[in-house]
């Protein structure tokens, strides 16, 4: 089984890593348009690299108000290259990103999101993670319904979050 190194790079990417991530997305067809990839690269929270220092996976988050929830949340996305698609890479990236985003939000309560929001596109989640609240420590995402496209929606609220406070609600 391959081994991976994980790096939290949120808000501290250098130009060389930005270029590597854009190339990674384009090579694997995640974001084909270079301009769109460059616009998203500053949202990268963490990345996984294999033993050959190749990028295996990247996760991003953007702080936004989720309209029907009415609270600011980090809208989270992950892309893992096909050869590295195991639950381990996806889960580890999500865990590290949640930790980093919650730590940031804890130090910026008045101006940061209150949790992490997911729209699950991967059908394996629908088959394997059926609990209303995922039972993994640090990843206690709560089922909140489906999008118009039928994607499962989940939220993990940060421990310090208060609904209706000035930061996003």
């Amino acid at each position: 089984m391959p081994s991976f190194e994980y790096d939290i790079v949120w808000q501290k990417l250098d130009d060389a890593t930005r270029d590597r991530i854009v190339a990674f997305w384009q090579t694997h067809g995640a974001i084909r348009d270079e301009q769109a990839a460059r616009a998203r690269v500053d949202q990268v929270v963490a990345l996984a690299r294999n033993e050959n220092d190749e990028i295996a996976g990247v996760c991003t988050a953007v702080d936004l108000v989720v309209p029907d929830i009415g609270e600011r949340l980090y809208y989270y996305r992950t892309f893992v290259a096909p050869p590295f698609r195991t639950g381990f890479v996806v889960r580890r990236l999500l865990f590290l990103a949640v930790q980093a985003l919650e730590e940031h939000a804890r130090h910026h309560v008045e101006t940061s999101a209150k949790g992490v929001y997911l729209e699950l596109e991967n059908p394996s989640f629908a088959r394997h993670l059926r609990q209303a609240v995922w039972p993994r420590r640090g990843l206690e995402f709560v089922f909140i319904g489906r999008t118009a496209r039928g994607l499962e929606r989940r939220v993990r609220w940060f421990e310090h979050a208060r609904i209706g406070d000035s930061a996003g609600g």
Side-chain angles (χ1 to χ4, degrees):
M1 180 184 329
S3 63
F4 300 93
E5 283 192 35
Y6 297 87
D7 298 309
I8 302 296
V9 296
W10 194 52
Q11 299 182 338
K12 56 184 178 186
L13 280 174
D14 59 43
D15 289 339
T17 307
R18 278 186 179 84
D19 291 344
R20 285 185 69 195
I21 292 168
V22 168
F24 165 76
W25 282 332
Q26 290 185 306
T27 297
H28 295 286
I31 306 175
R32 294 186 193 278
D33 179 81
E34 183 174 355
Q35 189 172 5
R38 293 215 176 269
R40 187 171 310 163
V41 77
D42 286 326
Q43 299 173 10
V44 173
V45 179
L47 57 88
R49 292 177 289 113
N50 70 4
E51 58 274 357
N52 298 321
D53 198 42
E54 297 171 293
I55 295 176
V58 172
C59 64
T60 63
V62 62
D63 183 341
L64 53 76
V65 174
V66 179
D68 62 326
I69 297 173
E71 298 288 345
R72 286 178 56 198
L73 299 168
Y74 289 112
Y75 178 63
Y76 177 90
R77 295 180 235 189
T78 302
F79 178 78
V80 176
F84 308 112
R85 287 189 179 157
T86 70
F88 300 112
V89 174
V90 170
R91 185 172 49 229
R92 185 73 178 148
L93 283 171
L94 179 58
F95 180 78
L96 290 171
V98 167
Q99 284 185 317
L101 294 168
E102 185 163 15
E103 182 67 19
H104 175 81
R106 187 177 297 113
H107 290 93
H108 302 89
V109 173
E110 297 302 317
T111 59
S112 285
K114 296 178 181 181
V116 177
Y117 171 78
L118 307 174
E119 292 179 355
L120 302 176
E121 294 187 28
N122 185 329
S124 72
F125 287 108
R127 289 190 304 272
H128 300 293
L129 292 170
R130 299 310 333 132
Q131 299 92 341
V133 179
W134 289 347
R136 298 207 187 328
R137 185 164 177 81
L139 297 176
E140 301 90 349
F141 280 85
V142 178
F143 175 78
I144 60 166
R146 298 192 183 281
T147 67
R149 292 183 350 187
L151 301 178
E152 187 172 305
R153 301 168 66 208
R154 290 192 174 254
V155 171
R156 183 188 179 280
W157 298 99
F158 296 148
E159 286 186 31
H160 68 274
R162 299 293 176 261
I163 303 306
D165 287 350
S166 60

